[in-house]
Amino acid sequence: MKASITLTVNGNTHTVDVDPSMPLLYVLRNHLELNGPKYGCGLAQCGSCMVLLDGKAVPSCLLRIDDVKNLKVTTLEGLLRQDGGLHPVQEAFVQQQAAQCGFCLNGMVISAVALLSENKSPDENAIRTNLQRVLCRCGAQSRVIKAVKQASHTLTSKAKQGQE
Ligand code: FES
Ligand code: FES
């Protein structure tokens, strides 16, 4: 049975009329037209559907919409700055050519943002550990690691300058 569910996504409030057991990913893509999160395995195993839930990176393909209505959801689209510029992690992925096929990219970027919000200077081991939940089949992993390191440097120097 459908229900009226209100949720906060990328700072905006939305009300959708859906089955409360519908996965968050379906609501994002099919109702809110937020196509950054991708459908890969549908089993919370590949990471392509990652979103930030109160700042933590989680797969959205098995999350019931009813269980997230009081939490803040941020998708890839919500990472853009207010002036429309890219988030430092997105910028670094472009500059390091870590954005390859675009399918796992969503999970890589979201996971990197979550990691850097907790630890602005992760070592390579921490980067690997945090991003290993996202499966990439294209061999872009070494460039992804470089991109996360670059974003880490950017965020660290912005923090020193008091910009973040
Ligand atoms: S589609 Fe959600 S983890 Fe694979
Ligand atoms: S860049 Fe990740 S699967 Fe292709």
Side-chain angles (χ1 to χ4, degrees):
M1 205 195 329
K2 286 188 177 178
S4 198
I5 293 178
T6 300
L7 68 163
T8 307
V9 183
N10 300 336
N12 300 313
T13 304
H14 300 273
T15 301
V16 288
D17 204 18
V18 295
D19 183 326
S21 66
M22 181 176 279
L24 172 62
L25 177 64
Y26 296 8
V27 174
L28 294 174
R29 292 182 58 88
N30 300 339
H31 294 259
L32 306 184
E33 297 182 358
L34 293 168
N35 294 318
K38 303 282 184 281
Y39 184 95
C41 63
L43 298 168
Q45 289 180 3
C46 74
S48 60
C49 64
M50 287 283 189
V51 297
L52 295 173
L53 208 55
D54 279 354
K56 306 270 182 218
V58 292
S60 61
C61 59
L62 290 183
L63 275 177
R64 295 169 82 252
I65 188 71
D66 202 38
D67 291 338
V68 302
K69 61 190 178 193
N70 295 320
L71 304 173
K72 279 188 198 143
V73 180
T74 305
T75 69
L76 193 65
E77 292 87 345
L79 299 182
L80 291 177
R81 297 193 318 236
Q82 287 198 331
D83 64 3
L86 294 177
H87 184 284
V89 170
Q90 294 171 307
E91 229 162 42
F93 270 67
V94 173
Q95 285 169 9
Q96 293 296 334
Q97 299 188 5
Q100 195 153 295
C101 78
F103 213 80
C104 70
L105 184 62
N106 172 70
M108 294 290 190
V109 170
I110 292 284
S111 300
V113 169
L115 168 64
L116 294 172
S117 71
E118 283 184 358
N119 175 4
K120 279 206 169 39
S121 304
D123 60 17
E124 185 156 333
N125 200 33
I127 297 172
R128 286 177 184 274
T129 305
N130 271 272
L131 270 58
Q132 72 184 2
R133 290 190 299 162
V134 184
L135 300 181
C136 171
R137 301 158 193 82
C138 308
Q141 289 91 341
S142 59
R143 297 198 298 274
V144 166
I145 291 168
K146 279 189 198 159
V148 179
K149 285 181 181 169
Q150 178 181 321
S152 161
H153 290 141
T154 306
L155 289 166
T156 310
S157 47
K158 279 190 177 179
K160 276 187 194 146
Q161 293 162 19
Q163 292 176 10
E164 289 283 318

